[in-house]
Amino acid sequence: AQSVAQPEDQVNVAEGNPLTVKCTYSVSGNPYLFWYVQYPNRGLQFLLKYITGDNLVKGSYGFEAEFNKSQTSFHLKKPSALVSDSALYFCAVRDDGGATNKLIFGTGTLLAVQP
Amino acid sequence: KAGVTQTPRYLIKTRGQQVTLSCSPISGHRSVSWYQQTPGQGLQFLFEYFSETQRNKGNFPGRFSGRQFSNSRSEMNVSTLELGDSALYLCASSRRTADTQYFGPGTRLTVL
């Protein structure tokens, strides 16, 4: 069965510093990986996805993610954090290798950016 | 282009009642999925619909049901509400199965 793990409940970073939010995955077959962000009292906003191709995926709001097959990781990164980036971040994997829309989510990582 | 809309945004019900939540997908999107978000269980998949057919169903009791209409709008129904059904219910749409899903703002259901 497909799964993702987000090992950190919270990540703290100072504004202007680079940020990394970690995600590891376990899949049978090709991974279809996603990052979403959730602001308080809001739904999930799509940031980026990896289906195939380049290991460095660029997404919305200056975020990017690095796919590493050997380490089964898909970490979210941003070169310079903003206070407005403070939110809950979810890593997700599509179940059944892409034949369904069912997403399996990690437990989420709360990103806190201090001014 | 308008995003996914969900109505109502907030709902308060009592145990034993039933509730219907509505989702209007992005124009042109034919696939709709529903998720439940709770502090304890996180984000869990409920169902997936495409062209009025249920394609996939999560591990929820039969009290949870859904449907999709010919205009791709979807509803989900929860009967005989329990306290544990209190959650944020999120709807997501995509153009077709296996496309990127875009989420609505959710319906916050509180069961008293």
Side-chain angles (χ1 to χ4, degrees), chain A residues 36 38 49 94 98 100-101 103, chain B residues 31 37 48 94 98 100-101:
Chain A
Y36 285 85
Q38 185 175 37
K49 66 180 178 183
R94 183 175 290 149
T100 174
N101 262 356
L103 292 176
Chain B
S31 177
Q37 185 178 21
E48 173 191 350
S94 62
T100 299
Q101 293 176 70

Side-chain angles (χ1 to χ4, degrees), chain B residues 15-28:
Chain B
R15 279 179 299 173
Q17 287 187 310
Q18 75 165 21
V19 66
T20 299
L21 312 181
S22 181
C23 171
S24 293
I26 293 171
S27 178

Side-chain angles (χ1 to χ4, degrees), chain A residues 32 34 36 38 41-46 48-49 51 88 90 94-96 98-107, chain B residues 9-10 31 33 35 37 43 45 48 55-58 88 90 94 96-106 108:
Chain A
Y32 295 80
F34 302 80
Y36 285 85
Q38 185 175 37
N41 300 315
R42 303 278 293 275
L44 302 178
Q45 292 182 30
F46 169 74
L48 50 80
K49 66 180 178 183
I51 303 297
L88 188 56
F90 290 97
R94 183 175 290 149
D95 199 17
D96 293 340
T100 174
N101 262 356
K102 177 182 177 181
L103 292 176
I104 297 170
F105 287 89
T107 50
Chain B
R9 291 292 311 277
Y10 302 91
S31 177
S33 298
Y35 294 82
Q37 185 178 21
L43 281 153
F45 171 80
E48 173 191 350
R55 297 286 300 271
N56 206 345
K57 189 177 191 303
L88 181 66
L90 294 164
S94 62
R96 52 185 178 270
T97 299
D99 269 354
T100 299
Q101 293 176 70
Y102 296 91
F103 284 78
R108 172 76 62 185

Side-chain angles (χ1 to χ4, degrees), chain A residues 33-100:
Chain A
L33 299 161
F34 302 80
W35 276 102
Y36 285 85
V37 60
Q38 185 175 37
Y39 295 95
N41 300 315
R42 303 278 293 275
L44 302 178
Q45 292 182 30
F46 169 74
L47 285 177
L48 50 80
K49 66 180 178 183
Y50 174 84
I51 303 297
T52 186
D54 290 341
N55 290 341
L56 186 63
V57 180
K58 293 191 181 297
S60 307
Y61 314 118
F63 284 94
E64 56 189 28
E66 186 173 7
F67 173 74
N68 189 314
K69 188 173 183 178
S70 62
Q71 298 185 6
T72 61
S73 66
F74 188 57
H75 300 334
L76 182 70
K77 300 183 178 186
K78 188 174 183 183
S80 179
L82 300 172
V83 172
S84 57
D85 292 330
S86 298
L88 188 56
Y89 290 80
F90 290 97
C91 180
V93 63
R94 183 175 290 149
D95 199 17
D96 293 340
T100 174

Side-chain angles (χ1 to χ4, degrees), chain B residues 4 6 32 44 57 69 78:
Chain B
V4 178
Q6 292 186 244
V32 172
Q44 293 186 287
K57 189 177 191 303
F69 302 95
V78 188

